[in-house]
Structures are given as structure tokens and as C-alpha cells.
Amino acid sequence: MYRVFIIEDEETIARGIQKQMESWSLEAKCVQDFRSVMEEFQDYQPHLVLLDISLPFYNGYYWCQEIRKISKVPVIFLSSASENMNIVMAIQMGGDDFIAKPFDYTVMTAKIQAVLRRAYDYTMQPSALEHRGAVLNTQDATLLYEGKKIDLTRNEYRILQTLLEQKGRIVSRERLMEKLWESDSFVDENTLSVNVNRLRKKLEQEGLDHFITTKVGMGYLIEKKGEGK
């Protein structure tokens, strides 16, 4: 599920966008503290940012520049000031698109989906996912740790890939089963447990203890700060 980070100080608009995103099966979060935009951005790790120009403390141009220092995530500017100069400025500062207020939610959603398709469906999927020195190569489905290749079954690979893509977030058992179904592996609750336990044992045999954490009644998690475990 794609995550959209909404940096908009008009609460009615922000909540309206969030509701619209969720109705289209996108995860969305509104910024809480306009002095700590980058901290919230890094914690949330969004796939796309919706960014108003006029904001408290610092404007959207400033935050876009800050985001561009550490990320290539798509940024779409929102503004009621839709003069050509503002659009040019938004693009020059690193924005990917511009939506003028007032906007139609359907048109906004279509633009967001188009940007997400361009950014992720074709070119931006990461070729490797890393945690605690273990590297999962998404091009050939191999796991390497300390120079050694760890053999994974197709289901084990899909489980590990999903957990690493959502590192720091709990992934429900239902979501993991959906991912396995997408690869034509029709699994039930017991089969999922067997696959997770087998994957854990393989990781532990190579010295990767406590790599996957179980959250009882919620799902599984690879913790961001797991390096210290």
C-alpha cells in the first residue's frame, strides 16, 4: 500500500485529502507539527508527498528542498496561488507536479495515481533491501549475509521482502497471506506460520537472531532499531 504524507495547514482540506486517499486504498498521514516536518517525513517514509506552499514557520519550497537533500520521493505541490511563477518555482525546487486550489478530489486522485505509477510501477522499485547486514536482492530473489548466500523458498522470499519493505511497521498476517496469494501461493493461517517459523530458523542459523518480531494478535515486524539486538 502506498503511503501519502500530507503537509497542509488547513485542517479541513488536509482531512478531506486523507479521507479521499484512504477511499482509494492509499495510506495517508497528515503532518502534526509544522516545525518538525522532516522528522515526521523520515518516520513515515512516504511514497509521495502532498505539499502546500503557504505553511507556518517555513513555506513549502523550503521543505521540498529539505526533502530533496535526502530523498527522491515524488512531491506534488498544492496552492491557491496558481500563477505561472509559483508553478515554475515549485518545479525548480524539486516538485513533480502542481495542483491548484480549489481542486476536484477526483482530478487530484488521478494525478496522484499517475505520479505513483511513473515513480514506482516501472522504474523506482529498489533492487536490494538491507537490514543488519543482510541484503535481499529483489532482482534475483537471493539473500546474502556475511558473504554467504541463504537459500529461500518463494514464499520465504515474499514474506521477507514484504517485511523489509515495511520495516518499522507491523505487517498483519492477512497482508502477508495476500502477498503470497499474489504469487499464486494459496496459503492458510497454518501454512503462513510454518513459512515464517522456517524462515526464522534459517536466519537464526546464520546468526540473525530476533530478525523478525511477532506482535501477538497483530502480525510481524522487522524493527528499524533491530541492529542492536
Side-chain angles (χ1 to χ4, degrees):
M1 181 184 292
Y2 291 120
R3 296 182 296 279
V4 178
F5 189 38
I6 304 164
I7 308 173
E8 163 65 63
D9 64 327
E10 294 185 45
E11 188 171 354
T12 301
I13 294 176
R15 298 302 174 191
I17 294 173
Q18 184 180 30
K19 185 176 180 180
Q20 175 73 2
M21 294 298 93
E22 291 170 348
S23 73
W24 282 88
S25 299
L26 297 169
E27 184 180 321
K29 172 182 170 63
C30 300
V31 67
Q32 300 298 306
D33 184 351
F34 288 93
R35 289 166 296 194
S36 303
V37 169
M38 290 308 297
E39 287 84 349
E40 293 187 31
F41 170 84
Q42 290 178 291
D43 286 343
Y44 192 51
Q45 292 290 304
H47 295 96
L48 182 142
V49 175
L50 291 175
L51 179 59
D52 192 14
I53 292 177
S54 299
L55 296 167
F57 307 108
Y58 299 98
N59 64 29
Y61 299 136
Y62 170 83
W63 289 121
C64 187
Q65 287 183 304
E66 292 300 297
I67 288 170
R68 283 290 167 260
K69 291 177 182 178
I70 62 170
S71 174
K72 294 181 180 179
V73 65
V75 175
I76 299 178
F77 276 91
L78 306 172
S79 178
S80 56
S82 57
E83 291 85 359
N84 286 342
M85 184 53 67
N86 288 306
I87 297 174
V88 170
M89 278 281 290
I91 302 304
Q92 287 181 338
M93 292 296 178
D96 295 271
D97 207 338
F98 188 102
I99 300 176
K101 299 178 186 177
F103 49 78
D104 179 271
Y105 280 117
T106 304
V107 173
M108 178 198 69
T109 303
K111 282 200 169 193
I112 289 170
Q113 290 176 326
V115 171
L116 286 170
R117 281 196 301 272
R118 289 198 300 268
Y120 299 103
D121 286 359
Y122 307 123
T123 61
M124 294 294 287
Q125 292 293 347
S127 60
L129 299 163
E130 186 277 337
H131 185 63
R132 288 172 53 186
V135 179
L136 185 70
N137 189 322
T138 60
Q139 299 300 310
D140 60 9
T142 59
L143 179 66
L144 295 175
Y145 181 62
E146 294 185 344
K148 183 178 180 180
K149 179 181 175 181
I150 302 172
D151 291 324
L152 301 176
T153 66
R154 183 173 62 173
N155 282 353
E156 290 166 355
Y157 166 75
R158 293 299 291 261
I159 291 168
L160 189 57
Q161 178 190 24
T162 304
L163 292 174
L164 285 169
E165 287 175 343
Q166 299 295 320
K167 186 162 66 170
R169 296 180 177 84
I170 297 170
V171 180
S172 69
R173 292 175 60 85
E174 290 77 14
R175 178 57 183 150
L176 284 174
M177 286 190 287
E178 286 174 11
K179 290 294 289 186
L180 297 180
W181 291 336
E182 287 171 11
S183 63
D184 298 325
S185 297
F186 299 98
V187 302
D188 57 19
E189 290 270 353
N190 290 333
T191 307
L192 177 63
S193 296
V194 169
N195 278 275
V196 171
N197 289 335
R198 189 168 54 202
L199 174 58
R200 271 201 179 111
K201 287 180 180 178
K202 286 185 179 181
L203 296 172
E204 289 171 358
Q205 287 171 357
E206 302 301 330
L208 291 166
D209 297 336
H210 309 296
F211 200 84
I212 299 171
T213 301
T214 299
K215 295 292 183 180
V216 179
M218 300 172 69
Y220 301 99
L221 165 73
I222 289 179
E223 299 188 41
K224 283 186 176 180
K225 296 181 180 179
E227 284 79 359
K229 291 192 174 184

